[in-house]
């Protein structure tokens, strides 16, 4: 069918390779626990939407993280993490069952996709061969027509003594005797000259219609060849040409094959956040919030701003009681998509503390964003993410102890996520939940 959409498929080994996890032991284990929860949630969403390839990648990633990587973390056996890790292991059994179910399905999808490509290539080759054959036949017919015309004109040249009088001999009603024709013409002309108008009418006629008589030049007659011209060749019939194959749109919409997925952020988020945290800003205290939302049709949307309990200084802010925050999101099935915080005394940029904080978010979700608000400066906000590479790798490998420090290649570590990035600021509704008052 025209406009038929064909999903681009990959061999299962390639999907497995894309499920690898970048594990950094220095990252707090709570972020990996949270990452595993979000990966499992995304896998189920993609499964329900029918994107089995991305679903497989995410289930494999979850299994790798929970079964293989997490046990290497120094905090793995800590008593406070026992319940969370047990829940992850339980979901890992579900993930492994889903992987076993998807294996033969994905193998068949890939085989069908290869067969589709083979048939499409054959159709294209047949179409091209047919078009070339028709064009060649048309060229040959043009050449035959040109040769037929040359032969016709060569065999039908007019005789040297050809004249119109001879050509008209024997035609009824035509007198081909030239002297008699000239005498008749002369006599008729003489009769016209002998006719006289009355004097009054003649003067009037001459005054109104005195127009010089045009001179008529006798044109040479062009001889017309006799005989019947050859019939033109028949026009090639192209109705039986094969139909073109349908236009194919190979939708490569997988998370790991097309880059970052789009994230939509409500435009009113910035003003509403600044209004809520104004008391802290006046006191020159930083304030942070969590950007939560949903995933649908390969696109993230920030739907909720959560302001958790926190401690703050003029240069830092840290969340407290994170279990309350995670529980709130779990109950409402909300994913963590990024974070937002203020710089009440500084310009709009990512400090070294901000870079390390955001690294944990971006390891959890590659599309995660950090919004920095600097209300006392001209550029009052920015939407950022670590470059990957090199920014994400620089921060994950950093072992510097001071809170504020420099990193090599500072200008290439993070970038604007809005300017030609994956973030769209759109006029959407936004829910705001302030957990500080609870």
């Amino acid at each position: 069918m025209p406009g038929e959409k064909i999903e681009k498929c990959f061999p299962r080994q390639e999907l497995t390779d894309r499920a690898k996890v970048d594990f950094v032991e220095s990252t707090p284990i709570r972020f990996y626990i949270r990452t595993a929860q979000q990966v499992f949630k995304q896998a189920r969403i993609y499964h329900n939407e029918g994107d089995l390839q991305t679903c497989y990648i995410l289930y494999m990633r979850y299994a790798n993280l929970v079964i293989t990587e997490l046990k290497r973390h120094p905090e793995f056996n800590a008593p406070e993490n026992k319940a969370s890790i047990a829940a992850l292991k339980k979901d890992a059994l579900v993930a492994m069952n889903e992987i076993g179910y998807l294996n033969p399905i994905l193998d068949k999808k890939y085989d069908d996709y290869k067969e589709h490509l083979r048939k499409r290539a054959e159709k294209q080759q047949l179409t091209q061969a047919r078009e070339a054959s028709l064009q060649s036949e048309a060229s040959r017919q043009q050449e035959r027509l040109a040769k037929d015309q040359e032969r016709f004109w060569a065999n039908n040249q007019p005789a040297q003594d050809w004249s119109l009088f001879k050509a008209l001999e024997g035609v009824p009603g035509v007198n081909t005797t030239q002297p008699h024709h000239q005498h008749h013409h002369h006599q008729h002309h003489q009769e016209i000259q002998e006719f006289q108008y009355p004097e009054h009418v003649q003067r009037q006629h001459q005054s109104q219609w005195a127009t010089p008589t045009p001179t008529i030049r006798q044109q040479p007659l062009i001889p017309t060849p006799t005989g019947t011209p050859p019939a033109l060749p028949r026009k090639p019939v192209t109705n039986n040409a094969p139909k073109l194959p349908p236009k194919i749109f190979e939708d490569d919409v997988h998370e790991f094959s097309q880059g970052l997925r789009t994230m939509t952020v409500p435009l009113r988020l910035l003003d509403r956040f600044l209004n809520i945290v104004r008391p802290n800003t006046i006191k020159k205290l930083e304030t942070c919030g969590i950007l939560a939302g949903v995933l649908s049709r390969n696109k993230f949307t920030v739907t909720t701003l959560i302001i958790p309990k926190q401690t703050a200084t003029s240069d830092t802010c840290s969340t407290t009681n994170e279990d309350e925050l995670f529980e709130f999101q779990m109950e409402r099935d909300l994913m963590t998509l990024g974070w937002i915080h203020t710089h009440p005394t500084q310009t709009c940029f990512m400090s070294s503390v901000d870079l390390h904080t955001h690294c944990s978010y971006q390891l959890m979700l590659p599309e995660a964003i950090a919004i920095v608000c600097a209300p006392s400066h001209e550029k009052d906000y920015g939407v950022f993410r670590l470059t990957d590479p090199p920014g994400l790798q620089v921060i994950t490998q950093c072992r510097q102890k001071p809170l504020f420090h420099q990193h090599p290649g500072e200008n290439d570590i993070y970038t604007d996520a809005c300017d030609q990035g994956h973030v769209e600021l759109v006029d959407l509704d936004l829910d705001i939940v302030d957990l500080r008052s609870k």
Side-chain angles (χ1 to χ4, degrees):
M1 294 176 61
E4 180 185 359
K5 290 188 176 182
I6 303 298
E7 180 186 8
K8 185 175 182 180
C9 297
F10 300 90
R12 189 155 50 88
Q13 183 58 50
E14 184 172 345
L15 299 179
T16 301
D17 293 340
R18 296 183 183 190
K20 293 179 180 179
V21 179
D22 294 326
F23 188 80
V24 181
E25 295 180 5
S26 60
T27 300
I29 196 171
R30 68 179 186 273
F31 284 100
Y32 282 114
I33 293 174
R34 187 64 175 155
T35 297
Q37 293 170 344
Q38 293 215 139
V39 169
F40 190 80
K41 183 187 298 292
Q42 292 180 64
R44 304 193 77 159
I45 291 173
Y46 279 108
H47 198 172
N48 292 335
E49 293 181 351
D51 187 348
L52 300 185
Q53 294 190 98
T54 304
C55 169
Y56 178 87
I57 293 172
L58 292 170
Y59 275 136
M60 284 293 296
R61 172 173 282 193
Y62 179 85
N64 288 337
L65 179 58
V66 174
I67 298 175
T68 305
E69 301 295 343
L70 210 56
K71 65 176 66 174
R72 298 195 293 114
H73 199 281
E75 302 173 19
F76 179 77
N77 293 319
E80 62 270 22
N81 298 324
K82 185 176 181 180
S84 297
I85 292 176
L88 295 182
K89 289 182 177 179
K90 183 178 180 180
D91 286 338
L93 295 177
V94 177
M96 294 303 296
N97 287 334
E98 292 295 333
I99 291 171
Y101 167 76
L102 291 172
N103 281 339
I105 296 177
L106 294 177
D107 289 341
K108 186 177 186 307
K109 281 174 66 71
Y110 181 63
D111 291 340
D112 292 345
Y113 178 68
K114 289 193 300 182
E115 180 65 13
H116 158 74
L117 294 181
R118 186 189 65 78
K119 290 182 177 179
R120 187 176 67 174
E122 287 182 355
K123 287 182 179 179
Q124 290 176 343
Q125 291 176 355
L126 289 174
T127 300
Q128 293 172 356
R130 174 76 178 189
E131 291 176 350
S133 176
L134 292 174
Q135 188 170 2
S136 177
E137 177 62 22
S139 299
R140 287 194 296 269
Q141 291 190 6
Q142 290 291 341
E143 293 176 0
R144 288 196 294 268
L145 175 61
K147 291 179 180 179
D148 290 344
Q149 290 176 339
E150 289 178 2
R151 285 194 297 270
F152 171 77
W153 291 112
N155 298 330
N156 291 275
Q157 293 293 336
Q160 295 295 329
D161 58 346
W162 185 93
S163 68
L164 179 61
F165 297 106
K166 291 183 178 181
L168 295 177
E169 285 183 358
V171 179
V174 178
N175 189 347
T176 57
T177 305
Q178 186 173 357
H180 175 72
H181 173 72
Q182 292 177 348
H183 172 73
H184 176 74
H185 176 73
H186 175 72
Q187 181 180 0
H188 177 67
H189 178 67
Q190 183 177 5
E191 290 176 355
I192 294 176
Q193 288 180 341
E194 292 177 355
F195 181 82
Q196 299 293 331
Y197 282 100
E199 182 178 355
H200 172 71
V201 177
Q202 186 175 7
R203 286 198 302 270
Q204 184 180 6
H205 174 74
Q206 291 175 350
S207 63
Q208 293 181 356
W209 307 99
T211 304
T213 303
T215 303
I216 301 177
R217 295 184 178 179
Q218 188 174 6
Q219 298 293 332
L221 296 174
I222 300 175
T224 303
T226 60
T228 304
L232 294 175
R234 296 179 62 185
K235 186 177 180 180
V237 178
T238 59
N239 294 336
N240 295 327
K243 294 182 179 180
L244 293 176
K247 187 175 182 180
I248 302 300
F249 302 93
E250 292 185 352
D251 289 348
D252 190 6
V253 296
H254 306 287
E255 172 194 0
F256 310 100
S257 57
Q258 201 181 40
L260 298 176
R261 293 163 287 185
T262 300
M263 181 178 296
T264 301
V265 178
L267 187 61
R268 64 188 73 181
L269 165 69
L270 305 172
D271 291 336
R272 294 185 66 182
F273 174 68
L274 289 177
N275 287 335
I276 292 173
V277 305
R278 188 181 303 277
N280 275 2
T281 303
I282 294 174
K283 298 176 186 178
K284 301 186 184 308
L285 295 175
E286 284 195 4
T287 311
C288 67
I290 304 300
L291 306 178
V294 296
L295 168 65
S296 178
R297 297 297 172 189
N298 214 49
K299 183 176 182 179
F300 295 105
T301 302
V302 175
T303 61
T304 308
L305 169 62
I306 307 171
I307 303 177
K309 292 181 174 65
Q310 55 195 275
T311 60
T313 68
S314 61
D315 299 323
T316 64
C317 60
S318 301
T319 60
T320 60
N321 197 3
E322 292 183 346
D323 290 341
E324 179 187 25
L325 173 62
F326 292 160
E327 183 179 351
F328 178 86
Q329 292 184 242
M330 292 287 288
E331 290 175 354
R332 290 157 181 80
D333 205 23
L334 294 172
M335 300 176 59
T336 301
L337 305 182
W339 63 301
I340 183 172
H341 74 289
T342 57
H343 278 186
T345 62
Q346 301 182 72
T347 58
C348 180
F349 73 106
M350 293 279 281
S351 67
S352 59
V353 175
D354 297 339
L355 293 173
H356 281 271
T357 300
H358 185 67
C359 180
S360 300
Y361 283 91
Q362 198 164 317
L363 285 173
M364 183 167 55
L365 182 73
E367 290 82 3
I369 58 174
I371 301 179
V372 180
C373 300
S376 60
H377 291 80
E378 183 176 352
K379 178 174 173 52
D380 57 352
Y381 80 92
V383 183
F384 304 117
R385 68 180 301 271
L386 296 175
T387 56
D388 183 14
L392 187 63
Q393 290 72 24
V394 170
I395 301 303
T396 53
Q397 295 171 12
C398 176
R399 298 293 183 269
Q400 299 186 61
K401 296 299 183 182
L403 194 61
F404 294 98
H405 53 269
Q406 290 185 336
H407 298 96
E410 288 280 354
N411 294 334
D412 297 327
I413 289 181
Y414 68 96
T415 185
D416 190 328
C418 278
D419 185 16
Q420 298 181 350
H422 70 293
V423 175
E424 299 175 344
L425 296 177
V426 182
D427 187 12
L428 297 174
D429 292 334
L430 177 70
D431 296 328
I432 297 181
V433 180
D434 193 343
L435 298 179
R436 297 176 302 174
S437 59
K438 294 184 179 182

